[in-house]
PDB file of all heavy atoms in Angstrom:
ATOM      1  N   GLU A 174     -18.184 -16.059  24.310  1.00 98.00           N
ATOM      2  CA  GLU A 174     -16.772 -16.193  24.741  1.00 98.00           C
ATOM      3  C   GLU A 174     -16.110 -17.285  23.955  1.00 98.00           C
ATOM      4  O   GLU A 174     -14.834 -17.380  24.028  1.00 98.00           O
ATOM      5  CB  GLU A 174     -16.717 -16.560  26.228  1.00 98.00           C
ATOM      6  CG  GLU A 174     -17.202 -15.382  27.123  1.00 98.00           C
ATOM      7  CD  GLU A 174     -17.117 -15.747  28.584  1.00 98.00           C
ATOM      8  OE1 GLU A 174     -16.829 -16.916  28.888  1.00 98.00           O
ATOM      9  OE2 GLU A 174     -17.324 -14.786  29.382  1.00 98.00           O
ATOM     10  N   ARG A 175     -16.809 -18.075  23.154  1.00 98.00           N
ATOM     11  CA  ARG A 175     -16.228 -19.071  22.291  1.00 98.00           C
ATOM     12  C   ARG A 175     -15.691 -18.476  20.994  1.00 98.00           C
ATOM     13  O   ARG A 175     -14.937 -19.165  20.239  1.00 98.00           O
ATOM     14  CB  ARG A 175     -17.213 -20.161  21.930  1.00 98.00           C
ATOM     15  CG  ARG A 175     -17.860 -20.793  23.196  1.00 98.00           C
ATOM     16  CD  ARG A 175     -19.032 -21.642  22.743  1.00 98.00           C
ATOM     17  NE  ARG A 175     -20.058 -20.917  22.062  1.00 98.00           N
ATOM     18  CZ  ARG A 175     -21.105 -21.475  21.366  1.00 98.00           C
ATOM     19  NH1 ARG A 175     -21.191 -22.815  21.314  1.00 98.00           N
ATOM     20  NH2 ARG A 175     -21.987 -20.727  20.808  1.00 98.00           N
ATOM     21  N   VAL A 176     -15.946 -17.206  20.788  1.00 98.00           N
ATOM     22  CA  VAL A 176     -15.551 -16.584  19.495  1.00 98.00           C
ATOM     23  C   VAL A 176     -14.698 -15.363  19.798  1.00 98.00           C
ATOM     24  O   VAL A 176     -15.143 -14.503  20.582  1.00 98.00           O
ATOM     25  CB  VAL A 176     -16.846 -16.197  18.629  1.00 98.00           C
ATOM     26  CG1 VAL A 176     -16.373 -15.709  17.209  1.00 98.00           C
ATOM     27  CG2 VAL A 176     -17.697 -17.389  18.540  1.00 98.00           C
ATOM     28  N   LEU A 177     -13.570 -15.227  19.081  1.00 98.00           N
ATOM     29  CA  LEU A 177     -12.864 -14.004  19.089  1.00 98.00           C
ATOM     30  C   LEU A 177     -12.968 -13.378  17.676  1.00 98.00           C
ATOM     31  O   LEU A 177     -12.683 -14.071  16.703  1.00 98.00           O
ATOM     32  CB  LEU A 177     -11.405 -14.101  19.366  1.00 98.00           C
ATOM     33  CG  LEU A 177     -10.512 -12.931  19.211  1.00 98.00           C
ATOM     34  CD1 LEU A 177     -10.790 -11.915  20.206  1.00 98.00           C
ATOM     35  CD2 LEU A 177      -8.971 -13.420  19.193  1.00 98.00           C
ATOM     36  N   MET A 178     -13.422 -12.102  17.539  1.00 98.00           N
ATOM     37  CA  MET A 178     -13.542 -11.438  16.269  1.00 98.00           C
ATOM     38  C   MET A 178     -12.506 -10.362  16.214  1.00 98.00           C
ATOM     39  O   MET A 178     -12.442  -9.455  17.023  1.00 98.00           O
ATOM     40  CB  MET A 178     -14.897 -10.764  15.993  1.00 98.00           C
ATOM     41  CG  MET A 178     -15.022 -10.250  14.659  1.00 98.00           C
ATOM     42  SD  MET A 178     -16.810  -9.574  14.399  1.00 98.00           S
ATOM     43  CE  MET A 178     -16.617  -8.811  12.807  1.00 98.00           C
ATOM     44  N   VAL A 179     -11.582 -10.402  15.206  1.00 98.00           N
ATOM     45  CA  VAL A 179     -10.705  -9.292  14.933  1.00 98.00           C
ATOM     46  C   VAL A 179     -11.011  -8.718  13.567  1.00 98.00           C
ATOM     47  O   VAL A 179     -11.254  -9.481  12.615  1.00 98.00           O
ATOM     48  CB  VAL A 179      -9.240  -9.781  15.027  1.00 98.00           C
ATOM     49  CG1 VAL A 179      -8.897 -10.405  16.436  1.00 98.00           C
ATOM     50  CG2 VAL A 179      -8.930 -10.836  13.966  1.00 98.00           C
ATOM     51  N   SER A 180     -10.958  -7.366  13.484  1.00 98.00           N
ATOM     52  CA  SER A 180     -11.372  -6.763  12.267  1.00 98.00           C
ATOM     53  C   SER A 180     -10.626  -5.449  12.055  1.00 98.00           C
ATOM     54  O   SER A 180     -10.178  -4.797  13.002  1.00 98.00           O
ATOM     55  CB  SER A 180     -12.791  -6.530  12.286  1.00 98.00           C
ATOM     56  OG  SER A 180     -13.247  -5.601  13.190  1.00 98.00           O
ATOM     57  N   ILE A 181     -10.545  -5.089  10.842  1.00 98.00           N
ATOM     58  CA  ILE A 181     -10.101  -3.769  10.342  1.00 98.00           C
ATOM     59  C   ILE A 181     -11.242  -3.226   9.544  1.00 98.00           C
ATOM     60  O   ILE A 181     -11.993  -3.953   9.019  1.00 98.00           O
ATOM     61  CB  ILE A 181      -8.799  -3.722   9.598  1.00 98.00           C
ATOM     62  CG1 ILE A 181      -8.946  -4.524   8.273  1.00 98.00           C
ATOM     63  CG2 ILE A 181      -7.591  -4.196  10.368  1.00 98.00           C
ATOM     64  CD1 ILE A 181      -7.815  -4.349   7.247  1.00 98.00           C
ATOM     65  N   PHE A 182     -11.308  -1.828   9.585  1.00 98.00           N
ATOM     66  CA  PHE A 182     -12.415  -1.210   8.738  1.00 98.00           C
ATOM     67  C   PHE A 182     -12.114   0.234   8.680  1.00 98.00           C
ATOM     68  O   PHE A 182     -11.617   0.800   9.614  1.00 98.00           O
ATOM     69  CB  PHE A 182     -13.791  -1.546   9.193  1.00 98.00           C
ATOM     70  CG  PHE A 182     -13.989  -1.229  10.684  1.00 98.00           C
ATOM     71  CD1 PHE A 182     -14.470   0.012  11.127  1.00 98.00           C
ATOM     72  CD2 PHE A 182     -13.738  -2.219  11.608  1.00 98.00           C
ATOM     73  CE1 PHE A 182     -14.601   0.292  12.439  1.00 98.00           C
ATOM     74  CE2 PHE A 182     -13.948  -1.971  12.988  1.00 98.00           C
ATOM     75  CZ  PHE A 182     -14.363  -0.734  13.411  1.00 98.00           C
ATOM     76  N   GLN A 183     -12.520   0.896   7.606  1.00 98.00           N
ATOM     77  CA  GLN A 183     -12.425   2.382   7.535  1.00 98.00           C
ATOM     78  C   GLN A 183     -13.439   3.042   8.379  1.00 98.00           C
ATOM     79  O   GLN A 183     -14.528   2.528   8.465  1.00 98.00           O
ATOM     80  CB  GLN A 183     -12.607   2.751   6.070  1.00 98.00           C
ATOM     81  CG  GLN A 183     -12.394   4.246   5.862  1.00 98.00           C
ATOM     82  CD  GLN A 183     -12.560   4.708   4.389  1.00 98.00           C
ATOM     83  OE1 GLN A 183     -12.127   3.974   3.483  1.00 98.00           O
ATOM     84  NE2 GLN A 183     -13.185   5.878   4.175  1.00 98.00           N
ATOM     85  N   ASP A 184     -12.945   4.074   9.081  1.00 98.00           N
ATOM     86  CA  ASP A 184     -13.834   4.735  10.064  1.00 98.00           C
ATOM     87  C   ASP A 184     -13.565   6.300   9.865  1.00 98.00           C
ATOM     88  O   ASP A 184     -12.388   6.715  10.020  1.00 98.00           O
ATOM     89  CB  ASP A 184     -13.692   4.271  11.410  1.00 98.00           C
ATOM     90  CG  ASP A 184     -14.572   4.971  12.383  1.00 98.00           C
ATOM     91  OD1 ASP A 184     -15.842   4.880  12.263  1.00 98.00           O
ATOM     92  OD2 ASP A 184     -14.094   5.572  13.360  1.00 98.00           O
ATOM     93  N   PRO A 185     -14.606   7.143   9.608  1.00 98.00           N
ATOM     94  CA  PRO A 185     -15.987   6.723   9.413  1.00 98.00           C
ATOM     95  C   PRO A 185     -16.285   6.196   7.967  1.00 98.00           C
ATOM     96  O   PRO A 185     -15.695   6.689   7.034  1.00 98.00           O
ATOM     97  CB  PRO A 185     -16.768   8.088   9.652  1.00 98.00           C
ATOM     98  CG  PRO A 185     -15.798   9.139   9.149  1.00 98.00           C
ATOM     99  CD  PRO A 185     -14.410   8.523   9.513  1.00 98.00           C
ATOM    100  N   LEU A 186     -17.188   5.264   7.936  1.00 98.00           N
ATOM    101  CA  LEU A 186     -17.694   4.719   6.672  1.00 98.00           C
ATOM    102  C   LEU A 186     -18.836   3.778   6.998  1.00 98.00           C
ATOM    103  O   LEU A 186     -18.908   3.228   8.143  1.00 98.00           O
ATOM    104  CB  LEU A 186     -16.587   3.932   5.947  1.00 98.00           C
ATOM    105  CG  LEU A 186     -16.875   3.435   4.487  1.00 98.00           C
ATOM    106  CD1 LEU A 186     -16.916   4.587   3.562  1.00 98.00           C
ATOM    107  CD2 LEU A 186     -15.816   2.387   4.028  1.00 98.00           C
ATOM    108  N   TYR A 187     -19.802   3.576   6.043  1.00 98.00           N
ATOM    109  CA  TYR A 187     -20.802   2.628   6.186  1.00 98.00           C
ATOM    110  C   TYR A 187     -20.354   1.286   6.833  1.00 98.00           C
ATOM    111  O   TYR A 187     -19.325   0.873   6.491  1.00 98.00           O
ATOM    112  CB  TYR A 187     -21.529   2.392   4.887  1.00 98.00           C
ATOM    113  CG  TYR A 187     -22.627   1.297   4.956  1.00 98.00           C
ATOM    114  CD1 TYR A 187     -23.997   1.824   5.097  1.00 98.00           C
ATOM    115  CD2 TYR A 187     -22.477  -0.041   4.850  1.00 98.00           C
ATOM    116  CE1 TYR A 187     -25.029   0.883   5.199  1.00 98.00           C
ATOM    117  CE2 TYR A 187     -23.471  -0.953   4.937  1.00 98.00           C
ATOM    118  CZ  TYR A 187     -24.722  -0.464   5.108  1.00 98.00           C
ATOM    119  OH  TYR A 187     -25.844  -1.411   5.241  1.00 98.00           O
ATOM    120  N   PRO A 188     -20.996   0.816   7.833  1.00 98.00           N
ATOM    121  CA  PRO A 188     -22.335   1.152   8.387  1.00 98.00           C
ATOM    122  C   PRO A 188     -22.237   2.063   9.647  1.00 98.00           C
ATOM    123  O   PRO A 188     -23.208   2.149  10.449  1.00 98.00           O
ATOM    124  CB  PRO A 188     -22.971  -0.134   8.761  1.00 98.00           C
ATOM    125  CG  PRO A 188     -21.726  -1.032   9.229  1.00 98.00           C
ATOM    126  CD  PRO A 188     -20.635  -0.607   8.287  1.00 98.00           C
ATOM    127  N   TYR A 189     -21.070   2.783   9.731  1.00 97.00           N
ATOM    128  CA  TYR A 189     -20.891   3.772  10.822  1.00 97.00           C
ATOM    129  C   TYR A 189     -21.080   3.140  12.201  1.00 97.00           C
ATOM    130  O   TYR A 189     -21.759   3.576  13.065  1.00 97.00           O
ATOM    131  CB  TYR A 189     -21.926   4.892  10.593  1.00 97.00           C
ATOM    132  CG  TYR A 189     -21.675   5.627   9.270  1.00 97.00           C
ATOM    133  CD1 TYR A 189     -22.589   5.280   8.269  1.00 97.00           C
ATOM    134  CD2 TYR A 189     -20.631   6.344   8.983  1.00 97.00           C
ATOM    135  CE1 TYR A 189     -22.450   5.810   6.944  1.00 97.00           C
ATOM    136  CE2 TYR A 189     -20.417   6.959   7.680  1.00 97.00           C
ATOM    137  CZ  TYR A 189     -21.320   6.648   6.738  1.00 97.00           C
ATOM    138  OH  TYR A 189     -21.212   7.191   5.481  1.00 97.00           O
ATOM    139  N   SER A 190     -20.324   2.023  12.360  1.00 97.00           N
ATOM    140  CA  SER A 190     -20.400   1.308  13.627  1.00 97.00           C
ATOM    141  C   SER A 190     -18.977   0.712  13.800  1.00 97.00           C
ATOM    142  O   SER A 190     -18.059   0.838  12.934  1.00 97.00           O
ATOM    143  CB  SER A 190     -21.355   0.173  13.580  1.00 97.00           C
ATOM    144  OG  SER A 190     -21.081  -0.718  12.570  1.00 97.00           O
ATOM    145  N   GLY A 191     -18.779   0.188  15.084  1.00 97.00           N
ATOM    146  CA  GLY A 191     -17.546  -0.581  15.307  1.00 97.00           C
ATOM    147  C   GLY A 191     -16.533   0.141  16.102  1.00 97.00           C
ATOM    148  O   GLY A 191     -15.579  -0.435  16.662  1.00 97.00           O
ATOM    149  N   ALA A 192     -16.606   1.495  16.141  1.00 95.00           N
ATOM    150  CA  ALA A 192     -15.597   2.273  16.888  1.00 95.00           C
ATOM    151  C   ALA A 192     -15.562   1.833  18.389  1.00 95.00           C
ATOM    152  O   ALA A 192     -14.525   1.808  19.004  1.00 95.00           O
ATOM    153  CB  ALA A 192     -15.822   3.769  16.739  1.00 95.00           C
ATOM    154  N   VAL A 193     -16.776   1.552  18.881  1.00 95.00           N
ATOM    155  CA  VAL A 193     -16.992   1.001  20.213  1.00 95.00           C
ATOM    156  C   VAL A 193     -17.451  -0.377  20.136  1.00 95.00           C
ATOM    157  O   VAL A 193     -18.603  -0.597  19.692  1.00 95.00           O
ATOM    158  CB  VAL A 193     -17.942   1.928  21.026  1.00 95.00           C
ATOM    159  CG1 VAL A 193     -18.143   1.339  22.407  1.00 95.00           C
ATOM    160  CG2 VAL A 193     -17.482   3.345  21.105  1.00 95.00           C
ATOM    161  N   PRO A 194     -16.631  -1.338  20.438  1.00 96.00           N
ATOM    162  CA  PRO A 194     -17.105  -2.784  20.288  1.00 96.00           C
ATOM    163  C   PRO A 194     -18.237  -3.116  21.153  1.00 96.00           C
ATOM    164  O   PRO A 194     -18.512  -2.571  22.251  1.00 96.00           O
ATOM    165  CB  PRO A 194     -15.827  -3.628  20.692  1.00 96.00           C
ATOM    166  CG  PRO A 194     -14.597  -2.594  20.612  1.00 96.00           C
ATOM    167  CD  PRO A 194     -15.299  -1.329  20.889  1.00 96.00           C
ATOM    168  N   LYS A 195     -19.088  -4.018  20.694  1.00 96.00           N
ATOM    169  CA  LYS A 195     -20.226  -4.424  21.500  1.00 96.00           C
ATOM    170  C   LYS A 195     -19.945  -5.484  22.487  1.00 96.00           C
ATOM    171  O   LYS A 195     -20.743  -5.748  23.381  1.00 96.00           O
ATOM    172  CB  LYS A 195     -21.324  -5.041  20.502  1.00 96.00           C
ATOM    173  CG  LYS A 195     -22.128  -4.071  19.739  1.00 96.00           C
ATOM    174  CD  LYS A 195     -23.230  -4.761  18.927  1.00 96.00           C
ATOM    175  CE  LYS A 195     -24.199  -3.789  18.342  1.00 96.00           C
ATOM    176  NZ  LYS A 195     -25.399  -4.463  17.739  1.00 96.00           N
ATOM    177  N   GLY A 196     -18.806  -6.132  22.382  1.00 96.00           N
ATOM    178  CA  GLY A 196     -18.398  -7.074  23.376  1.00 96.00           C
ATOM    179  C   GLY A 196     -16.980  -7.198  23.638  1.00 96.00           C
ATOM    180  O   GLY A 196     -16.146  -6.615  22.890  1.00 96.00           O
ATOM    181  N   GLU A 197     -16.549  -7.795  24.727  1.00 96.00           N
ATOM    182  CA  GLU A 197     -15.087  -7.999  25.079  1.00 96.00           C
ATOM    183  C   GLU A 197     -14.379  -8.913  24.138  1.00 96.00           C
ATOM    184  O   GLU A 197     -13.181  -9.024  24.265  1.00 96.00           O
ATOM    185  CB  GLU A 197     -14.918  -8.312  26.491  1.00 96.00           C
ATOM    186  CG  GLU A 197     -15.425  -7.216  27.459  1.00 96.00           C
ATOM    187  CD  GLU A 197     -15.274  -7.606  29.001  1.00 96.00           C
ATOM    188  OE1 GLU A 197     -14.719  -8.716  29.183  1.00 96.00           O
ATOM    189  OE2 GLU A 197     -15.593  -6.774  29.793  1.00 96.00           O
ATOM    190  N   ASN A 198     -15.139  -9.748  23.360  1.00 98.00           N
ATOM    191  CA  ASN A 198     -14.490 -10.674  22.501  1.00 98.00           C
ATOM    192  C   ASN A 198     -14.307 -10.074  21.109  1.00 98.00           C
ATOM    193  O   ASN A 198     -14.270 -10.766  20.070  1.00 98.00           O
ATOM    194  CB  ASN A 198     -15.405 -11.921  22.294  1.00 98.00           C
ATOM    195  CG  ASN A 198     -16.810 -11.654  21.841  1.00 98.00           C
ATOM    196  OD1 ASN A 198     -17.293 -10.596  22.108  1.00 98.00           O
ATOM    197  ND2 ASN A 198     -17.349 -12.524  21.085  1.00 98.00           N
ATOM    198  N   MET A 199     -13.997  -8.781  21.024  1.00 98.00           N
ATOM    199  CA  MET A 199     -13.789  -8.036  19.770  1.00 98.00           C
ATOM    200  C   MET A 199     -12.487  -7.294  19.841  1.00 98.00           C
ATOM    201  O   MET A 199     -12.182  -6.739  20.867  1.00 98.00           O
ATOM    202  CB  MET A 199     -14.885  -7.044  19.491  1.00 98.00           C
ATOM    203  CG  MET A 199     -16.319  -7.488  19.690  1.00 98.00           C
ATOM    204  SD  MET A 199     -16.778  -8.357  18.202  1.00 98.00           S
ATOM    205  CE  MET A 199     -18.314  -9.087  18.823  1.00 98.00           C
ATOM    206  N   VAL A 200     -11.747  -7.364  18.744  1.00 98.00           N
ATOM    207  CA  VAL A 200     -10.613  -6.384  18.570  1.00 98.00           C
ATOM    208  C   VAL A 200     -10.881  -5.685  17.343  1.00 98.00           C
ATOM    209  O   VAL A 200     -10.600  -6.120  16.146  1.00 98.00           O
ATOM    210  CB  VAL A 200      -9.216  -7.174  18.460  1.00 98.00           C
ATOM    211  CG1 VAL A 200      -8.110  -6.225  18.261  1.00 98.00           C
ATOM    212  CG2 VAL A 200      -9.023  -8.070  19.693  1.00 98.00           C
ATOM    213  N   ASN A 201     -11.421  -4.501  17.465  1.00 98.00           N
ATOM    214  CA  ASN A 201     -11.807  -3.637  16.351  1.00 98.00           C
ATOM    215  C   ASN A 201     -10.746  -2.605  16.017  1.00 98.00           C
ATOM    216  O   ASN A 201     -10.371  -1.894  17.030  1.00 98.00           O
ATOM    217  CB  ASN A 201     -13.085  -2.882  16.603  1.00 98.00           C
ATOM    218  CG  ASN A 201     -14.390  -3.888  16.719  1.00 98.00           C
ATOM    219  OD1 ASN A 201     -14.126  -5.130  16.613  1.00 98.00           O
ATOM    220  ND2 ASN A 201     -15.521  -3.311  16.904  1.00 98.00           N
ATOM    221  N   LEU A 202     -10.269  -2.498  14.812  1.00 98.00           N
ATOM    222  CA  LEU A 202      -9.332  -1.561  14.463  1.00 98.00           C
ATOM    223  C   LEU A 202      -9.944  -0.535  13.450  1.00 98.00           C
ATOM    224  O   LEU A 202      -9.825  -0.730  12.161  1.00 98.00           O
ATOM    225  CB  LEU A 202      -8.100  -2.249  13.827  1.00 98.00           C
ATOM    226  CG  LEU A 202      -7.364  -3.261  14.737  1.00 98.00           C
ATOM    227  CD1 LEU A 202      -6.126  -3.689  13.963  1.00 98.00           C
ATOM    228  CD2 LEU A 202      -7.015  -2.573  16.089  1.00 98.00           C
TER     229      LEU A 202
END
């Protein structure tokens, strides 16, 4: 909870992850 990660990335593309965030401290685009 001390870290907020915001990211953009092409999807689908290696490493074929990120569409569903692993934690609530993520803003994945």
Side-chain angles (χ1 to χ4, degrees):
E174 295 180 353
R175 303 170 300 168
V176 187
L177 172 68
M178 181 178 178
V179 301
S180 65
I181 59 168
F182 50 92
Q183 182 179 323
D184 182 57
L186 189 67
Y187 179 91
Y189 303 102
S190 61
V193 179
K195 283 190 170 184
E197 294 183 358
N198 59 326
M199 311 282 169
V200 179
N201 294 1
L202 301 185

